[in-house]
Amino acid sequence: MKTLFIAQQNDLHVDSIIYHFKKDFLRLSPEDLFEQNLSFSNFQNNSLSNNTIDHSNIKNVFCRFAAEEFYSTDCELTSSENYSKQEFGTSIMSILLMINKNRWFNFPYFEIQADIKPYSLNVAIKHKIKVPKFLITNNIDEIKNFAKTEDLIIKGISDGSLFIQKNIIKPLPETNEFKSGYTNHFDLNKANLEKWDKTPVLLQKNVNKVEEIRVLCINNKIFADSKIIDLRSYKKK
């Protein structure tokens, strides 16, 4: 029985985990998945990159990609190339989804739920995790009242990375110098609410942080990765 890792070849996070495994693992990259043979059938073994993939030989799956990344369209590809990518990606996921989700460290379709920020907030609250005070609304009076009492940030409710670049919504996203408009400080005095189209917004109390740590536990081993915040800007505040 092996643990299946699906990740880029230069993924240092997965490298550190595999270092502790040493053996009994199978690692596949997007290149392995999209450029090699696959087979999904009801009369023979399922395989990816010439490796048999089923309940009998895969103990766990650790996928570093969201499900939609396997078949999302790419504006740089032709229509036929995008069709091929979607067919290929859906075939890959069809094989992987034959493995029960309780064997996944991060079941790919949970990532879709995680992209819905209200869902993530509700899960945190349900498990008694303290979350910053927040409000999702398209009511202008509620926005003004909340902004008068709290220092706020504004965040996207959905995954708007395909549409927001440099804080400007673009119908045709540019592929060069991409920068999304996810999280920004919300200043009521600078907000142009007169031109607002009543699209719901997510406002959240601003919480200053020094460091963000993400933790993954596998086989009773803890792996942590941190994102260091610029201490100079923090100290100025």
Side-chain angles (χ1 to χ4, degrees):
M1 298 285 282
K2 296 181 178 180
T3 294
L4 171 61
F5 292 90
I6 301 175
Q8 297 282 2
Q9 288 294 342
N10 59 350
D11 190 320
L12 296 179
H13 185 69
V14 172
D15 289 343
S16 65
I17 297 173
I18 287 178
Y19 174 80
H20 292 276
F21 270 72
K22 308 215 183 277
K23 61 178 183 178
D24 296 330
F25 70 88
L26 172 63
R27 180 172 183 168
L28 297 176
S29 69
E31 291 76 19
D32 296 325
L33 293 170
F34 280 88
E35 295 179 7
Q36 303 296 326
N37 294 332
L38 64 77
S39 180
F40 182 34
S41 172
N42 64 349
F43 61 86
Q44 62 184 23
N45 290 334
N46 302 326
S47 66
L48 286 173
S49 302
N50 301 314
N51 296 282
T52 299
I53 304 294
D54 59 31
H55 292 285
S56 66
N57 71 330
I58 299 299
K59 179 181 179 181
N60 303 111
V61 181
F62 182 25
C63 181
R64 289 279 280 171
F65 297 93
E68 61 266 28
E69 292 186 69
F70 282 99
Y71 42 74
S72 59
T73 57
D74 188 330
C75 61
E76 294 186 346
L77 298 179
T78 65
S79 297
S80 60
E81 288 172 333
N82 270 318
Y83 175 75
S84 176
K85 179 184 178 183
Q86 291 182 2
E87 293 290 278
F88 221 128
T90 303
S91 299
I92 292 169
M93 291 307 303
S94 297
I95 296 172
L96 293 175
L97 291 175
M98 294 300 291
I99 301 172
N100 290 336
K101 62 183 179 182
N102 59 0
R103 293 192 179 187
W104 292 70
F105 289 112
N106 49 345
F107 190 63
Y109 288 92
F110 290 162
E111 177 68 21
I112 296 175
Q113 293 177 318
D115 281 338
I116 304 173
K117 294 182 178 65
Y119 174 83
S120 300
L121 290 168
N122 283 330
V123 170
I125 293 170
K126 180 179 178 181
H127 289 84
K128 302 187 184 304
I129 298 174
K130 186 177 181 181
V131 300
K133 191 176 180 180
F134 70 90
L135 171 67
I136 297 175
T137 186
N138 66 346
N139 185 314
I140 191 170
D141 292 329
E142 289 187 352
I143 292 174
K144 290 180 178 179
N145 290 336
F146 194 26
K148 288 177 182 178
T149 58
E150 302 287 356
D151 178 29
L152 300 176
I153 57 175
I154 183 170
K155 307 175 72 172
I157 301 172
S158 61
D159 182 2
S161 59
L162 293 178
F163 309 99
I164 303 175
Q165 293 180 323
K166 296 183 179 179
N167 298 326
I168 298 175
I169 296 177
K170 296 190 175 183
L172 295 175
E174 299 172 1
T175 56
N176 296 327
E177 298 182 1
F178 174 83
K179 182 180 180 181
S180 65
Y182 272 26
T183 303
N184 293 279
H185 184 263
F186 181 77
D187 188 337
L188 182 62
N189 296 321
K190 295 181 180 180
N192 193 356
L193 296 178
E194 290 74 19
K195 295 184 178 181
W196 178 40
D197 64 357
K198 299 280 285 185
T199 299
V201 295
L202 167 57
L203 299 173
Q204 182 174 297
K205 181 179 179 179
N206 185 33
V207 177
N208 292 321
K209 59 185 177 181
V210 176
E211 186 171 3
E212 178 178 317
I213 300 176
R214 299 188 179 188
V215 178
L216 180 69
C217 182
I218 300 178
N219 290 344
N220 295 322
K221 292 185 175 65
I222 294 178
F223 304 89
D225 187 24
S226 66
K227 179 180 179 182
I228 306 299
I229 307 301
D230 189 340
L231 290 177
R232 292 170 298 179
S233 62
Y234 177 78
K235 289 178 180 178
K236 287 179 181 178
K237 296 178 182 179

